[in-house]
């Protein structure tokens, strides 16, 4: 287990809401004063909202919330509920008649694990935003967007394992870099410090972990839909960043994905990382990006460690 939580960055709030019946949920990361944003989408099956705003040539340079949601593309609806709540709090981009909250979002595919008819919607997003706080919401595992997260699905959901939501923090002097991630990957997960596989495809008959890459080599054919996946997360920092640098930090944070999940960024993943910078501490961009990758790897491990098994699917703590 690694220490820290994304709310270690002052000004960042986190809220969750989920359905146990639907085995799905959403997690909202809020910065009421606005954070310099960035994004990098690496997977080939993404579901996202407002990512174009992070391009350097676009006018808006601050984001007020990022929503990580289950429900596949249906789950993008949760962002509208977050917008409604923030508008009620007068948080957003001032357009004179009201304030328009800038809310970005990415989703994971979790429709196969619970009742697919229940997915994050306007109401769930609103409640998650209302639940957001800086101090007490430090939950991990089967919570929010981690509720329906599973991994290792190349042989089908019956050979997958339960994953979840994880968070971790890395510090260097006054600089704080934190990650929060929902691990719903196609590939297997490794602890980046030991390179030990800690979750992935599981042989329930012989009670042992299998290798997705070895299975791919033996199958050597188009995997088709194969229960779509996606790992999505946020890097939050008190570092001072431009929008271009925010995009670079999101890009470098994918190194954390790559050293903890294998294979990664496949045609069956929609891997996406956002950056939220509160702009308080000067920092070298190279250092910040390196710490972002480390924080992300730590958060991925925590997502596995804190997960709880569900309906016959084992989690790390069960094996």
């Amino acid at each position: 287990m690694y220490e820290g939580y994304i709310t270690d960055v002052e000004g960042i709030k986190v809220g969750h809401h989920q359905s146990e019946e639907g085995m799905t949920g959403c997690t909202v990361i809020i910065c009421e004063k606005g954070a310099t944003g960035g994004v990098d989408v690496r997977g080939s099956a993404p579901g996202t909202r407002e990512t174009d705003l992070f391009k350097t040539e676009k006018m808006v340079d601050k984001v007020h919330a990022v929503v990580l949601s289950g429900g596949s593309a249906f789950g993008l609806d949760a962002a509208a509920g977050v917008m409604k709540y923030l508008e009620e709090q007068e948080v957003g981009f001032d357009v004179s008649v009201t304030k328009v909250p800038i809310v970005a979002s990415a989703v994971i595919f979790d429709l196969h694990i619970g009742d697919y008819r229940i997915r994050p919607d306007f109401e769930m997003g609103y409640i998650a935003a209302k639940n957001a706080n800086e101090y007490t919401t430090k939950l991990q595992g089967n919570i929010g967007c981690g509720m329906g997260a599973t991994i290792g699905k190349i042989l089908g959901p019956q050979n997958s394992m339960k994953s979840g939501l994880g968070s971790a923090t890395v510090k260097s002097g006054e600089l704080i870099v934190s990650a929060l991630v929902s691990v719903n990957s196609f590939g297997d997960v490794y602890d980046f410090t030991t390179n030990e596989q800690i979750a992935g495809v599981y042989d329930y008959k012989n009670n042992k972990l299998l290798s997705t890459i070895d299975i791919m080599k033996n199958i050597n054919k188009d995997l088709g839909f194969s229960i779509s996946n996606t790992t999505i997360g946020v890097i939050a920092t008190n570092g001072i960043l431009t929008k271009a640098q925010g995009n670079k930090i999101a890009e470098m944070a994918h190194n954390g994905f790559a050293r903890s999940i294998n294979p990664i960024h496949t045609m069956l993943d929609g891997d996406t990382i956002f950056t939220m910078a509160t702009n308080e501490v000067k920092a070298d961009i190279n250092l910040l990006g390196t710490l972002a990758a480390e924080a992300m790897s730590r958060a991925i491990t925590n997502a596995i460690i804190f997960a709880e098994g569900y309906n016959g699917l084992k989690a790390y703590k069960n094996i």
Side-chain angles (χ1 to χ4, degrees):
M1 180 178 69
Y2 294 98
E3 296 182 351
Y5 202 81
I6 197 168
T7 51
D8 293 337
V9 178
E10 187 175 353
I12 296 293
K13 296 181 178 181
V14 173
H16 314 277
H17 195 52
Q18 59 282 320
S19 165
E20 291 188 7
E21 183 181 357
M23 282 305 289
T24 190
C26 63
T27 295
V28 57
I29 304 92
I30 294 174
C31 183
E32 294 175 345
K33 68 177 184 179
T36 300
V39 70
D40 191 47
V41 181
R42 294 286 180 91
S44 294
T48 57
R49 179 185 191 273
E50 293 281 42
T51 51
D52 272 359
L53 286 178
F54 296 104
K55 293 179 180 179
T56 55
E57 71 271 19
K58 305 304 181 185
M59 180 183 69
V60 174
D61 65 349
K62 294 290 192 297
V63 61
H64 301 99
V66 172
V67 183
L68 306 180
S69 179
S72 190
F74 295 112
L76 292 171
D77 189 35
V82 175
M83 284 192 70
K84 176 63 174 176
Y85 176 80
L86 291 178
E87 183 188 25
E88 291 175 355
Q89 308 308 309
E90 298 185 347
V91 172
F93 183 75
D94 195 342
V95 294
S96 74
V97 294
T98 188
K99 290 186 177 180
V100 180
I102 306 302
V103 180
S105 181
V107 296
I108 65 170
F109 184 95
D110 58 2
L111 299 178
H112 62 290
I113 187 170
D115 186 341
Y116 74 92
R117 296 166 296 184
I118 300 174
R119 48 249 187 170
D121 54 12
F122 181 99
E123 181 181 9
M124 191 177 288
Y126 185 93
I127 295 173
K130 188 176 181 179
N131 289 340
N133 64 78
E134 299 179 46
Y135 308 107
T136 60
T137 307
K138 297 188 176 182
L139 302 172
Q140 301 185 68
N142 294 17
I143 188 74
C145 187
M147 194 69 177
T150 55
I151 53 176
K153 288 158 277 191
I154 190 171
L155 297 180
Q158 70 277 5
N159 287 99
S160 64
M161 286 182 63
K162 187 70 183 68
S163 181
L165 190 78
S167 189
T169 295
V170 179
K171 298 180 180 180
S172 177
E174 295 182 344
L175 179 64
I176 301 173
V177 183
S178 298
L180 187 145
V181 62
S182 177
V183 182
N184 191 59
S185 59
F186 171 74
D188 306 317
V189 177
Y190 297 79
D191 187 303
F192 77 107
T193 59
T194 64
N195 203 35
E196 175 191 2
Q197 185 180 353
I198 56 176
V201 188
Y202 197 75
D203 181 344
Y204 282 85
K205 181 178 180 180
N206 297 303
N207 294 315
K208 65 178 183 178
L209 286 165
L210 303 176
S211 166
T212 294
I213 291 181
D214 287 345
I215 295 169
M216 289 174 70
K217 289 177 181 177
N218 290 328
I219 294 177
N220 191 25
K221 66 177 183 179
D222 184 6
L223 297 174
F225 183 65
S226 188
I227 305 299
S228 214
N229 308 278
T230 297
T231 299
I232 54 177
V234 175
I235 293 293
T237 179
N238 61 354
I240 299 173
L241 297 176
T242 64
K243 187 156 60 167
Q245 291 172 331
N247 287 324
K248 184 62 179 179
I249 294 305
E251 176 187 310
M252 294 179 72
H254 273 284
N255 294 331
F257 276 16
R259 64 189 177 197
S260 295
I261 303 171
N262 194 19
I264 191 68
H265 304 147
T266 71
M267 296 298 291
L268 306 172
D269 290 297
D271 307 318
T272 302
I273 297 177
F274 295 94
T275 301
M276 298 177 73
T278 60
N279 301 306
E280 301 290 342
V281 177
K282 289 184 178 180
D284 173 65
I285 188 73
N286 302 293
L287 171 63
L288 210 164
T290 300
L291 296 182
E294 181 176 347
M296 187 58 75
S297 282
R298 292 184 179 194
I300 289 170
T301 296
N302 281 352
I304 301 303
I305 290 175
F306 282 96
E308 301 281 346
Y310 169 77
N311 197 26
L313 290 185
K314 291 187 177 182
Y316 171 82
K317 61 180 58 179
N318 304 127
I319 64 171

